[in-house]
Amino acid sequence: MPPKTITIFFAPFPGIGKKVFMDVTDIVEYNLDVLNLNDLCHSYFQLSREDPVQGFEFDASVTCGHVVPTTSIPPNPRLYDGDSNDQNKPYLRLMLGSHLAQYLRQQLEEQQGYTSTVGVSINKLLSKLVGNTHKPNSQTTLMPPYGDYDLHHDEVATRFLETHDISSIPGLGFKSAEKIRNHVLQRRAESGYRLVYSVSSERLSVKEMRANRNMSPDLLEKILGGPGATKGTGRRIWNLFDGIDESEVTKARDVPHQISITRLQEDSYLRLDDMDEVLKELRMLSQKLIKRMRLDLSCIDSDPKSDLMEACGENSDAHDHASRRWIAHPRIIRLTTRPRPPSNPDGSRSRAFNRISRSCDMPSMVFNFDHSVESLAERLVQETLVPLFRRLHHARSGWNLSLVNICAAAISPVADDIKDSAGRDISTMFRKQADTVTQRHSATASNSPSEKMMRESTNSGDEEIDHDKESESQSYQESSPDGTFDDGIADGCNWCSICGTAIPKFAKDAHERFHALSD
């Protein structure tokens, strides 16, 4: 899941999905309906159905960014009218999507300082693959060659996929790709070297795989099947080779399920077999985890005091810590490592996939905003992560790791007023209650006898008004339809004949015993 700043940035736009995927079908269809086909060069993209002013100008006669295939020919604008418009709609949809992608990339860089690479297509699989063709900081759209209307978009997608190696298809794991490769070659594929482990050096394209004799979804099911294998895997992988991806773009969660921190690239440790180096990595990962938790799982508490200080420009760190609160707490912290297997006789090393992990309760000290990230990370390493590491690797030496990962898991919302929260935030409840009481007292004061006398005195000029205490009390009781007094005591209370205090009925006997004991 992306950082909270990215999620918040994309929140105003329609169809925001998980990670980097966006489903913009609805907003593209809307703009396609309102597109002025007679003046494509001066088009306007509306970002909101309710607010036509919210949007940007663009040239709808061209596609923004790179195009695959490069021989794609835009449809003739003269064919936009009539029945032929249905043939042009796929092109127009993708063209509109390319301009929306360019606008979002520009806004993301201007407002957040992030560059991005985007792929535009009809599903998640093709979007990810076509986005990889031009990197970095670019965008690519998979378009059908509309010079030949007999060539359907599905065939274009198939031809695009045929040039890719099977191991590069999203959704197909390394082990599954190796099984298919070995079956097609009728032998074990030769291995090359990548960093410290061996990978297959024999390329097998999707086209070559599909050309293999008897290759079919049923055969893939037999190749990839086995104990514990999911039924229907062969059909799913075959669909991926055809460019068919039916997975939906889901809404991004307000609170993630977990926050996992590791190196930018797995298996990036050339050699990690020293405890001092392990401690160095754990400190670095712990600092990243705490920073990410503060970013994604906390917010600035909106109270009148903090709003006033923000308006006055007082944004000190102390105030920020005092006004910040957690919106979710992870209950579990997990440490995961992957030991590197021993070298083969030829000097190569097989790629390891088996991970081992240990977990425990998340220590409460990480939720303290008064301490620095560095100090909290050091305590987290010494008090929690090192004991977990000792449980994973009992020996002080003799191990060599290819992966170290720490994860904050079992994240659940804390007490708040949102739907999925665990209870209600009592501090927010008391603050709202205090605001309500203040408003009620203000309204009561405006209707009090003294305020009435002042208004009457002002309206009557020099006329003198004299009210004694009894008439003032009587006037106030008559002006209160709910039967409350200025001190907030209801009619259901009894007045003590000894001390004159208003006592609720259920406490009358106890109060009388109190006076009896005093005597």
Side-chain angles (χ1 to χ4, degrees):
M1 188 171 181
K4 190 175 181 179
T5 53
I6 304 298
T7 305
I8 294 176
F9 170 80
F10 284 113
F13 299 102
I16 303 307
K18 187 178 181 181
K19 294 184 178 180
V20 297
F21 297 106
M22 294 178 59
D23 183 1
V24 295
T25 303
D26 292 340
I27 193 66
V28 166
E29 286 293 334
Y30 174 73
N31 281 272
L32 182 60
D33 294 338
V34 299
L35 185 65
N36 185 4
L37 302 178
N38 298 319
D39 190 11
L40 295 177
C41 296
H42 302 88
S43 301
Y44 188 81
F45 197 104
Q46 297 184 23
L47 295 173
S48 173
R49 296 172 181 262
E50 292 76 18
D51 186 6
V53 180
Q54 185 180 356
F56 59 92
E57 298 179 355
F58 71 103
D59 184 2
S61 63
V62 296
T63 303
C64 191
H66 299 279
V67 173
V68 174
T70 56
T71 57
S72 176
I73 302 176
N76 191 337
R78 292 176 299 177
L79 301 178
Y80 282 164
D81 297 329
D83 298 336
S84 61
N85 191 26
D86 294 336
Q87 298 175 335
N88 291 288
K89 279 187 176 181
Y91 175 90
L92 293 176
R93 292 190 185 98
L94 293 168
M95 178 271 299
L96 290 172
S98 70
H99 286 280
L100 176 59
Q102 176 69 10
Y103 172 79
L104 295 179
R105 290 177 57 240
Q106 292 176 350
Q107 294 298 312
L108 180 63
E109 186 172 3
E110 293 176 2
Q111 299 182 22
Q112 302 293 333
Y114 293 102
T115 59
S116 57
T117 301
V118 177
V120 182
S121 189
I122 58 175
N123 57 40
K124 294 165 63 175
L125 168 69
L126 297 176
S127 298
K128 188 171 184 178
L129 286 177
V130 77
N132 293 333
T133 56
H134 295 89
K135 283 186 173 183
N137 194 21
S138 184
Q139 68 176 65
T140 311
T141 305
L142 181 61
M143 306 289 291
Y146 277 83
D148 183 5
Y149 284 103
D150 294 333
L151 188 62
H152 298 293
H153 187 92
D154 292 341
E155 297 180 7
V156 174
T158 301
R159 293 187 179 186
F160 171 71
L161 284 168
E162 286 179 346
T163 61
H164 290 76
D165 186 81
I166 61 173
S167 59
S168 65
I169 302 300
L172 182 64
F174 177 82
K175 285 188 175 181
S176 298
E178 286 301 295
K179 290 181 179 180
I180 298 175
R181 195 189 313 271
N182 295 338
H183 176 83
V184 173
L185 298 176
Q186 294 297 310
R187 57 178 172 81
R188 187 176 181 83
E190 296 182 1
S191 299
Y193 297 95
R194 179 181 179 183
L195 287 180
V196 293
Y197 58 84
S198 60
V199 295
S200 176
S201 60
E202 294 192 59
R203 189 177 188 275
L204 178 65
S205 67
V206 174
K207 182 178 182 179
E208 294 171 340
M209 186 277 304
R210 294 173 63 91
N212 184 260
R213 185 179 59 182
N214 299 326
M215 185 58 67
S216 64
D218 294 335
L219 182 57
L220 284 178
E221 188 76 26
K222 294 179 180 179
I223 297 173
L224 303 177
T230 305
K231 186 177 180 180
T233 300
R235 169 57 65 181
R236 182 182 66 85
I237 299 301
W238 184 265
N239 288 340
L240 293 180
F241 291 144
D242 280 339
I244 301 174
D245 183 10
E246 298 180 352
S247 60
E248 297 182 356
V249 177
T250 57
K251 292 285 185 178
R253 290 171 49 88
D254 295 331
V255 176
H257 289 291
Q258 64 180 23
I259 298 177
S260 181
I261 305 295
T262 187
R263 285 249 184 172
L264 294 179
Q265 182 179 3
E266 292 190 6
D267 300 300
S268 57
Y269 298 113
L270 294 177
R271 187 173 184 86
L272 188 60
D273 57 357
D274 183 72
M275 192 61 193
D276 292 336
E277 292 297 323
V278 171
L279 290 175
K280 181 179 177 181
E281 292 297 323
L282 290 178
R283 291 188 183 98
M284 181 268 295
L285 296 176
S286 298
Q287 292 181 16
K288 289 185 177 181
L289 178 65
I290 296 175
K291 290 180 181 178
R292 184 69 181 272
M293 286 171 54
R294 289 186 174 185
L295 177 64
D296 290 358
L297 306 182
S298 68
C299 66
I300 300 296
D301 202 0
S302 57
D303 60 279
K305 181 179 179 180
S306 62
D307 294 340
L308 178 60
M309 296 183 69
E310 182 177 359
C312 297
E314 301 179 11
N315 293 323
S316 62
D317 294 339
H319 164 63
D320 182 68
H321 292 167
S323 60
R324 183 170 288 276
R325 66 181 180 88
W326 292 97
I327 60 175
H329 279 171
R331 300 193 300 270
I332 301 296
I333 183 169
R334 181 171 62 244
L335 174 65
T336 303
T337 63
R338 182 164 58 206
R340 183 173 286 115
S343 300
N344 299 322
D346 58 354
S348 64
R349 192 187 299 270
S350 301
R351 189 172 182 177
F353 296 94
N354 297 328
R355 301 183 181 188
I356 54 177
S357 62
R358 292 292 184 272
S359 60
C360 66
D361 293 337
M362 177 69 74
S364 59
M365 55 89 179
V366 300
F367 305 119
N368 193 336
F369 289 114
D370 296 332
H371 293 79
S372 65
V373 172
E374 292 75 13
S375 62
L376 292 177
E378 183 65 27
R379 287 189 58 187
L380 183 63
V381 169
Q382 298 297 334
E383 299 176 10
T384 303
L385 296 180
V386 169
L388 290 177
F389 186 85
R390 293 300 185 192
R391 292 169 57 188
L392 288 172
H393 307 282
H394 304 284
R396 293 186 175 273
S397 61
W399 36 261
N400 187 9
L401 305 179
S402 62
L403 171 72
V404 177
N405 169 273
I406 58 176
C407 174
I411 300 177
S412 60
V414 299
D416 204 344
D417 291 333
I418 61 178
K419 179 180 178 180
D420 297 332
S421 62
R424 297 186 61 187
D425 185 1
I426 192 171
S427 62
T428 305
M429 181 182 67
F430 278 122
R431 185 163 55 250
K432 291 181 178 180
Q433 183 181 15
D435 295 339
T436 304
V437 172
T438 302
Q439 296 174 1
R440 184 183 302 171
H441 285 177
S442 300
T444 302
S446 62
N447 294 327
S448 64
S450 58
E451 291 290 337
K452 288 184 176 181
M453 288 188 295
M454 293 178 63
R455 290 196 294 268
E456 291 176 3
S457 176
T458 302
N459 295 334
S460 59
D462 297 335
E463 181 181 355
E464 182 178 359
I465 301 178
D466 185 14
H467 294 283
D468 56 14
K469 185 175 181 180
E470 181 179 359
S471 61
E472 180 180 337
S473 177
Q474 181 179 1
S475 173
Y476 176 71
Q477 294 179 29
E478 293 175 353
S479 64
S480 301
D482 57 351
T484 58
F485 298 90
D486 56 345
D487 57 326
I489 304 300
D491 285 340
C493 298
N494 296 326
W495 293 91
C496 179
S497 59
I498 301 176
C499 62
T501 304
I503 304 298
K505 292 182 178 180
F506 68 87
K508 178 181 178 182
D509 296 338
H511 188 74
E512 291 178 352
R513 289 196 299 268
F514 168 75
H515 283 297
L517 292 175
S518 300
D519 297 339

